[in-house]
Amino acid sequence: MRKLVILGGGTAGTMMANKLRKALSRDEWEITVVDKHRTHYYQPGFLFIPFGIYNRSDVEKSKSDFFPSGVKVIYSDIDKIEGEENRVLLDGGQVLHYDFLIVATGTQTRPEETPGLTDKLWKKEIFDFYTIEGAVDLQKFFKTWEGGKLVMAISELPYKCPVAPIEFVCLADEFFTRKGIRDKVEISLVTPLPGAFTKPIATAMLSELLKSKNINVIPDFYIERVDNDKKVLVSYDQREVEFDALTIVPVNMGADMVERSGLGDDLNFIPTNKFTLQSEKFENIFVLGDASNIPTSKAGSVAHFASEILFENLMNTIEGRPLTAKFDGHANCYIETGFGKGALIDFNYETEPLPGTFPLPGIGPFGLLKNTKMNHYGKIMFRWIYWHILLKGKELPVEADMTMAGKKRVSL
Amino acid sequence: MANKEIAGKTVDVNADGYLNNPSQWDKDVAIEIAKEEGIELSNKHYEVIEFLRKTHESGETLTIRKVGKSGITDIKGFYELFPGGPLKISSKIAGIPKPSSCV
Ligand SMILES: Cc1cc2nc3c(=O)[nH]c(=O)nc-3n(C[C@H](O)[C@H](O)[C@H](O)COP(=O)(O)OP(=O)(O)OC[C@H]3O[C@@H](n4cnc5c(N)ncnc54)[C@H](O)[C@@H]3O)c2cc1C
């Protein structure tokens, strides 16, 4: 019996388990998935919880509902990977041997990495919405908050779903407008990036959008610490931003297990060939999703497009062919912009987000870099697609490779 | 691409003034670019620059965090050496490409 082990049964691991179980003979291949948690969270839904649009029950399902039959599932923490020995040690002492290993342990938030962040204001006036607990706490807080300086801050790059903080401030603008206290709420976005987003054309569009909503952007701000007494964020170059309520994306890091395995960089992301998705260190280890260091967004859509490439390359290597499938870094993100509208960006390693239309056969077109109602529906539909199509490893009507169809080349 | 005269040498720079070819770099070029940025280079600056060039050469992505863990300086010190945008400015002086923060 040959053995394939998948570490992490989140978005990426679940998709791969479904694709591979279908393709590999059950007589020849044993597939094992390891995850420490039994609940699968629809993380993109966390964004909507603080504003009462979604609740906990809208984003939680049992992981086991999404694993195909014929896959062995072990709920356990992972101690480490021993790449030289082709084996994984689990926390209870169990040992898993593998012919091929897929690492899909994602990225987690590390608030303790920022001095002062988890002090006395944590969960009282400082929140995150990247965890279910944080999102739920913030919903409670917003119900009675009477206004003041609301700061949305990003601690470190990279972090998953790079557009989520922009969406957060847009939804906050709508939420407090509807509550009738928008004039009492000053909203700011604090980012280590030089602007609202990395890519220049999208940044120009998004800056314009935020300005029109009276949301300040404070760029190039790299947070050193949080001063709980003065209620300020302090940057490494000693600038300060005051807050009454702080929502933060804490430092994102890969799993500690990656560090223990000697496989990670300084943030525990795994050096990975950005085209083939093979780990730089071991030929039979592949990395999918947020766990890798490939230079594209950490997003579910990216994991989805990459999963098609990884599937091809795994089949290639299993059947003795070279790794001919190449990932282009394709990312496709709906950006919720409030008041029932949304924007859509589509890009890859080479091409930054461009304006135009996105041709989704049968449903689209969606406006690229445009603020439309259709894009908002795209985001809302995404939850259904996520649970019913994406996780099951089924085909979406979107190609893994980015297409230039509908895009307009522009220069700034 | 454009050619620019720096410290008596013709070097190839991009629109933002970053060297397109790190091998055209030398200390005189560094001093000149630093001057344009209003920085007078000390030994500490050179240590950082050397670290940046080595890390870049090895194909690794540079981050402010990585420089802060280099043992040469911490992040605060890095900001003091290259005020404003430490990684952007130091990369320019070190003759390596402009850091692209990728999200
Ligand atoms: C607020 C928010 C909004 C988002 N919005 C969007 C969006 O609109 N569009 C989009 O495409 N993406 C979005 N994302 C990003 C998306 O959710 C992630 O990129 C995606 O889930 C990554 O999949 P993954 O499998 O790599 O990681 P995950 O889905 O996080 O899975 C990792 C799994 O590994 C397990 N694990 C980790 N360490 C260990 C260990 N040591 N032992 C055992 N198990 C372990 C975890 O329990 C988890 O189940 C959003 C994320 C957030 C937080």
Side-chain angles (χ1 to χ4, degrees), chain A residues 29-225:
Chain A
W29 285 92
E30 181 181 277
I31 301 178
T32 307
V33 179
V34 185
D35 201 297
K36 58 181 166 184
H37 294 303
R38 286 173 187 271
T39 306
H40 191 118
Y41 294 103
Y42 173 61
Q43 298 175 44
F46 292 176
L47 169 71
F48 298 103
I49 292 178
F51 309 105
I53 302 169
Y54 283 175
N55 287 304
R56 192 185 256 270
S57 58
D58 295 313
V59 300
E60 281 184 348
K61 286 187 196 288
S62 173
K63 277 204 165 91
S64 60
D65 293 352
F66 300 94
F67 298 130
S69 66
V71 164
K72 201 168 133 195
V73 182
I74 301 174
Y75 293 102
S76 161
D77 212 315
I78 299 153
D79 177 21
K80 64 176 163 195
I81 301 163
E82 294 186 331
E84 310 281 355
E85 317 285 338
N86 298 310
R87 67 184 183 192
V88 179
L89 310 185
L90 302 187
D91 248 17
Q94 199 179 344
V95 180
L96 299 176
H97 295 270
Y98 61 81
D99 295 288
F100 292 102
L101 181 71
I102 299 172
V103 186
T105 41
T107 171
Q108 289 84 34
T109 53
R110 306 289 180 104
E112 65 285 354
E113 287 280 317
T114 303
L117 186 53
T118 52
D119 278 3
K120 60 183 180 196
L121 296 180
W122 182 238
K123 293 180 187 271
K124 296 196 177 65
E125 287 168 5
I126 302 179
F127 303 88
D128 81 289
F129 66 97
Y130 270 50
T131 58
I132 184 71
E133 296 79 19
V136 168
D137 287 346
L138 190 52
Q139 187 189 78
K140 259 185 238 151
F141 176 81
F142 276 163
K143 274 187 184 151
T144 55
W145 194 50
E146 287 172 356
K149 294 189 169 74
L150 173 64
V151 172
M152 168 77 244
I154 298 156
S155 307
E156 176 65 280
L157 306 172
Y159 60 96
K160 60 182 153 185
C161 198
V163 295
I166 298 172
E167 301 181 279
F168 180 87
V169 289
C170 289
L171 289 176
D173 168 62
E174 175 181 355
F175 180 79
F176 293 112
T177 303
R178 290 195 192 281
K179 252 186 131 172
I181 59 167
R182 181 64 179 89
D183 57 330
K184 297 199 183 72
V185 181
E186 189 184 313
I187 306 176
S188 308
L189 176 66
V190 170
T191 171
L193 292 169
F197 198 61
T198 38
K199 322 271 174 169
I201 296 168
T203 299
M205 178 263 178
L206 292 167
S207 306
E208 210 42 53
L209 181 81
L210 294 177
K211 210 165 132 195
S212 73
K213 292 175 187 288
N214 197 17
I215 295 167
N216 319 319
V217 180
I218 301 169
D220 289 315
F221 194 98
Y222 194 27
I223 298 171
E224 181 195 11
R225 62 193 165 88

